[in-house]
Amino acid sequence: MRFRFIPREEHFFDMFVEDAANVLAAARHLEEMLRTYEDVEQRAKEIYAMEHHGDELSHEIGKRLNTTFITPFDREDIHGLAANLDDCMDLMDAAVDLIVLYRIGELPAGVSDQVEVLARMSELTADAMPRLRSMKDLSEYWIEINRLENQADQIYRRLLAELFNGEATDAITIMKHKEVIEELEAAADAFEQVAHKVESIAVKES
């Protein structure tokens, strides 16, 4: 066992766990919103509140970095992981915001497949964060996230093809749907960036 003579700030781990749980809650809200299309504006307000809470957590992590002498791992990696998690939340919130602003009544059926993948990525991310303390049993997490991101890419390409090759002729509606689909695709990319950052941290700390 390695003993530490200088205590390090462990609260960062708790904040990452809370941040990832917040992202997961937002993904589940989004999934439910697109399943029923009921109370869309209320759901959007709830997701926005989660996004705001995520911002607060990111700011708190930044403040602690400025006042902590010994951090559990590299300062740049702590900042990067917080920023990556924030990107996941921001992009999902952006998709929801567009749905409300554009008054989209219902999206193409395949969008639910996109959101299902995001929800699964959120679950895996939330499950992985507590393991940052030990840096153990994380490889399956980033491998599965990579597989899901590839799946998200395939869904994205299929959705675009259906959008432009389908029966819809209203160009404005097509562009509105395309913007939402692109924000959701960017969110999948952001979850992969979180996994890449965790892998980088684990390699450095091994």
Side-chain angles (χ1 to χ4, degrees):
M1 178 183 295
R2 182 172 61 178
F3 292 94
R4 297 182 183 277
F5 296 99
I6 301 176
R8 63 181 187 174
E9 175 57 75
E10 300 284 336
H11 192 58
F12 289 106
F13 294 119
D14 296 329
M15 288 189 288
F16 283 131
V17 168
E18 183 179 354
D19 204 356
N22 187 52
V23 171
L24 172 57
R28 286 176 172 165
H29 268 64
L30 175 57
E31 193 175 27
E32 181 63 23
M33 186 181 86
L34 297 188
R35 181 181 297 119
T36 64
Y37 286 94
E38 295 176 358
D39 301 320
V40 170
E41 291 194 10
Q42 179 58 36
R43 290 281 185 183
K45 289 178 182 178
E46 292 167 358
I47 291 171
Y48 176 75
M50 295 172 193
E51 189 275 334
H52 181 67
H53 181 54
D55 285 342
E56 291 176 338
L57 287 169
S58 294
H59 294 153
E60 178 62 23
I61 289 170
K63 286 195 297 184
R64 282 184 176 270
L65 276 176
N66 290 331
T67 58
T68 300
F69 181 60
I70 301 296
T71 56
F73 46 88
D74 187 83
R75 290 173 183 273
E76 183 177 339
D77 287 332
I78 290 174
H79 181 272
L81 182 55
N84 292 149
L85 286 168
D86 192 51
D87 287 342
C88 296
M89 178 66 82
D90 286 348
L91 289 161
M92 288 192 293
D93 179 62
V96 171
D97 201 29
L98 288 174
I99 291 169
V100 173
L101 291 174
Y102 286 163
R103 300 176 184 177
I104 296 174
E106 192 167 337
L107 286 157
V111 173
S112 63
D113 294 332
Q114 267 191 308
V115 176
E116 183 180 338
V117 170
L118 290 179
R120 182 57 183 150
M121 294 174 104
S122 301
E123 290 171 0
L124 290 169
T125 302
D127 287 345
M129 288 302 108
R131 299 200 293 275
L132 286 175
R133 288 182 183 275
S134 64
M135 296 294 171
K136 294 180 180 178
D137 304 319
L138 283 165
S139 61
E140 290 184 3
Y141 153 67
W142 61 67
I143 290 170
E144 180 62 8
I145 287 288
N146 180 257
R147 187 193 70 79
L148 287 169
E149 198 280 329
N150 290 336
Q151 182 180 342
D153 284 345
Q154 293 173 351
I155 294 170
Y156 169 69
R157 290 191 294 268
R158 188 182 73 238
L159 277 169
L160 288 186
E162 291 173 354
L163 200 59
F164 290 110
N165 297 331
E167 297 178 357
T169 57
D170 181 356
I172 293 177
T173 298
I174 290 173
M175 294 309 297
K176 287 178 180 179
H177 289 179
K178 180 175 179 289
E179 285 193 43
V180 174
I181 290 166
E182 286 179 339
E183 293 290 351
L184 296 174
E185 166 63 12
D189 292 340
F191 277 108
E192 187 178 42
Q193 289 304 310
V194 172
H196 286 167
K197 179 58 70 176
V198 170
E199 181 178 9
S200 174
I201 293 167
V203 169
K204 289 180 183 178
E205 295 296 313
S206 62

